[in-house]
Amino acid sequence: MTSESSSSLSQDTPDCPEVPRGGAWTFVKNFARNPNQVGAVWPSSPGLVKRMVEWFDWENARGVVEFGPGTGVFTEAIQNHLHEDAKFFAIERSPELAAITRGRCPQVNVVEDSAESVADLCRDNQIDQVHAIICGLPWASFPDSLQTSILEATLDVLAPGGQFATFAYWQGVVLPAGQRFSKKLRGAFTEVHRSPTVWRNMPPAFVYRCVKR
C-alpha cells in the first residue's frame, strides 16, 4: 500500500480510543449482554471525548459527576481538566466496566450503582452542589420511565447554572426513544444546544450541551 493510500485510509476510518488491554472487548461483551444499559458497540473516539469536555467551565466547577463512564475515556479527560479543589466521582452499573475505569483512573471513585441514586451518592461523596455532569448513558435505549427518573435525579442535584452534557448517535435520534429524549431535554433545561457532529466516531455522534437555570 502506498503512503498516499495509507493517508486516505486514515482519514476515512473512525478514530479509535486507547483503552486498557481487553477493555474494548469487555465493552462489546457488555453491549451484547445488556444493550439497554451500554447502548454502543465501541468506546467513544478522541474526537467525541473532546466535544464532551471542552464546553464545561472547569475553572469554576467544584462538584462534578459522571454517569456511565464505560471504559473510562471520558473519565480520564475529566480528571485532566478538573480544578484542584473539585470533587468528582463516577457512576457505572457494570462491575466489569467499573473495574476497567478504576484501572485506567485509579484516583477516581467509581461507584457501582444507578444514576437515579445520584443524590444519595453526592451526599456520600460530600458534594453539596453539582456544577457539571458528564453523561455517557444510552438514552435512546431507555424506556420513557427511566429517561424521566434519571433526568429528574439530574435536575435535583444540579446547581442553578449547572452544565450537563450527553451524546447521541445520529441513527438513534430518529428512533421514538431518541426523539422523546430530545423533547425531554428541552423541557428540562433552559438552554439546549447541539455540538457539531463527530463524523469519525463509530457511529457518528453529537453532544447535547444543556444548562439549568
Side-chain angles (χ1 to χ4, degrees):
M1 182 179 289
T2 65
S3 58
E4 181 179 357
S5 59
S6 298
S7 174
S8 175
L9 179 62
S10 66
Q11 291 177 4
D12 293 339
T13 53
D15 290 327
C16 293
E18 293 182 6
V19 296
R21 187 171 183 176
W25 177 237
T26 300
F27 200 86
V28 172
K29 288 192 296 182
N30 271 264
F31 171 79
R33 288 199 301 260
N34 303 295
N36 289 342
Q37 294 181 18
V38 178
V41 296
W42 198 261
S44 299
S45 69
L48 183 56
V49 173
K50 182 177 185 293
R51 284 276 186 259
M52 283 282 280
V53 302
E54 67 184 356
W55 168 72
F56 285 92
D57 180 11
W58 295 109
E59 182 63 29
N60 294 301
R62 295 295 182 270
V64 181
V65 181
E66 181 183 12
F67 295 166
T71 59
V73 292
F74 294 138
T75 315
E76 189 172 54
I78 294 166
Q79 193 175 21
N80 291 337
H81 283 79
L82 282 176
H83 190 278
E84 61 182 6
D85 295 328
K87 295 179 179 179
F88 167 53
F89 71 94
I91 306 172
E92 173 58 60
R93 292 195 63 175
S94 164
E96 289 181 292
L97 294 176
I100 291 173
T101 299
R102 292 188 190 106
R104 185 174 195 149
C105 304
Q107 295 180 332
V108 176
N109 180 21
V110 183
V111 183
E112 293 174 29
D113 208 323
S114 168
E116 296 168 284
S117 304
V118 63
D120 291 336
L121 297 176
C122 282
R123 284 189 287 270
D124 293 343
N125 286 270
Q126 300 181 326
I127 295 179
D128 297 325
Q129 281 194 318
V130 177
H131 304 105
I133 295 179
I134 299 86
C135 178
L137 297 177
W139 295 98
S141 300
F142 290 167
D144 178 73
S145 58
L146 185 56
Q147 286 184 351
T148 298
S149 62
I150 294 178
L151 272 180
E152 288 178 348
T154 297
L155 292 172
D156 283 345
V157 300
L158 201 59
Q163 298 172 292
F164 172 83
T166 190
F167 69 89
Y169 299 120
W170 271 111
Q171 80 272 21
V173 174
V174 299
L175 298 175
Q179 294 177 351
R180 181 177 65 236
F181 177 65
S182 180
K183 291 179 181 178
K184 285 181 183 291
L185 282 180
R186 299 183 189 284
F189 293 94
T190 305
E191 297 180 26
V192 178
H193 303 284
R194 289 182 179 181
S195 77
T197 298
V198 182
W199 293 108
R200 296 183 69 184
N201 194 71
M202 186 172 67
F206 64 89
V207 177
Y208 284 112
R209 297 166 172 173
C210 311
V211 179
K212 175 184 173 181
R213 294 300 182 195

